[in-house]
Structure formats: C-alpha cells, structure tokens
Amino acid sequence: LEQVATSPHLASRMLFTAATHFDDIKDCSVGDFGCGAGILSIGCQLLGSSVNVGFDIDADALDSAWVNCKRLEIDTIDFVLTDIQLINLAYSFDTVVMNPPFGTRKAGIDTLFVKKAMDHANVVYSLHKTTTRDHFVRMSTNENYHMEVLAEMKYDLPKIHKHHKQKSK
C-alpha cells in the first residue's frame, strides 16, 4: 500500500478552504476516499458536515480512525473497509475529500481515485503531486470535469518506507 498520513497543516488548509470559500462542508454529506486514520473525516465533522463516511482498504488504518474518533468523542462518522477500485455506491455525496495514493508505487491509482470520487460526488477536494497536474488537467478536459488548483503547498513526506530514497526537500 502507498500510505502517507495527511499532516494536520494540509488537512486544516484544505478543509478550511472547502468550508469557508466554497461552503462545501457544513450541512453536506462527505465521503473520504482512502481515509486512513480519519483526519479529513474528523475535520469535516468538526466543521459541521451532516454525514461522514470514510473508506479505506487497510483495516489497521480504520482502527486508528476509530481510536481518533473516540479520543475526540465523535461517534457520527461511519468507516467502511473496502477497496476504492471496487466501490459502486447507490448514492452520492455532496463532497468527497481525499489524499489519494500518488501513483508512485501503483501507476494510475491516483487517477482511479479521482474518477471514483467524481462518480460519487458533486465536488471533490484532492491532494496531488505538482508533477501530475498536467495529467489531471488533460483528464478533466477529456471527462468534462471542472478542475481548479486551489493551492500549492509543501507536503513533507518523511522517509518512512524502504522504497523511499530520500527525505523531502
């Protein structure tokens, strides 16, 4: 699995923008695709989302999400153990938030996440490497998605896996 935790700084900036500039969190149903330990789901809940569902393929990550919710006395987020590639919901969300795999270990997985999110939401907020921007611009044009880069932020990727060659700069 290609997992990197979303830092509190990135999560807060992303969700603050979605909530205050676009009104896409409060009173909205929110899906968190590849939720990991739940930082985006929890942030959306704290910002007043009406429904929250986090999806992840990693049972240990979902256990961490539950622990994080319990620590904050949040019991209104549902977490689902599933592979995003197989997801086919009978409903859609107002908003999907996600920090998907970057596609470094499994080529195209970032694109799959975006397409699945667009299939299941009116609006998607997603974090990506700058080097993939041109790809997503082309994809959004081909798929008739409206895409907008809202911010460029430094993403500190600690060297935590064997396949990491260097610390982030």
Side-chain angles (χ1 to χ4, degrees):
L1 293 174
E2 185 180 331
Q3 296 174 311
V4 178
T6 307
S7 72
H9 173 74
L10 287 177
S12 64
R13 299 297 297 171
M14 175 187 196
L15 298 179
F16 178 80
T17 300
T20 61
H21 294 258
F22 298 98
D23 201 28
D24 287 328
I25 303 295
K26 187 174 182 180
D27 298 325
C28 293
S29 61
V30 178
D32 182 356
F33 286 15
C35 65
I39 191 166
L40 295 175
S41 294
I42 291 168
C44 288
Q45 184 64 43
L46 294 172
L47 289 167
S49 60
S50 61
V51 173
N52 260 297
V53 183
F55 301 89
D56 207 289
I57 195 170
D58 184 347
D60 291 336
L62 291 178
D63 286 343
S64 294
W66 276 113
V67 168
N68 291 335
C69 285
K70 296 275 186 237
R71 285 184 182 146
L72 294 169
E73 298 179 3
I74 294 173
D75 61 3
T76 53
I77 301 173
D78 293 317
F79 292 105
V80 179
L81 180 64
T82 190
D83 185 340
I84 291 297
Q85 297 176 83
L86 305 176
I87 201 167
N88 190 16
L89 304 173
Y91 55 89
S92 64
F93 296 99
D94 296 313
T95 306
V96 165
V97 295
M98 61 183 182
N99 178 11
F102 290 153
T104 305
R105 303 285 293 165
K106 183 177 180 182
I109 193 70
D110 50 349
T111 301
L112 184 136
F113 265 72
V114 169
K115 287 184 175 183
K116 285 292 185 175
M118 293 300 296
D119 287 346
H120 292 92
N122 299 325
V123 176
V124 176
Y125 292 87
S126 188
L127 299 170
H128 296 276
K129 297 188 312 183
T130 304
T131 57
T132 61
R133 181 176 300 152
D134 289 343
H135 164 72
F136 284 108
V137 167
R138 282 190 306 276
M139 184 187 87
S140 66
T141 299
N142 293 341
E143 300 286 337
N144 287 325
Y145 301 152
H146 169 77
M147 183 190 119
E148 190 175 338
V149 176
L150 299 179
E152 275 191 38
M153 297 182 283
K154 182 176 167 132
Y155 198 134
D156 185 31
L157 294 174
K159 185 179 174 185
I160 57 173
H161 297 293
K162 290 179 184 178
H163 64 271
H164 289 160
K165 294 179 176 87
Q166 62 187 9
K167 291 181 182 179
S168 61
K169 298 176 184 177

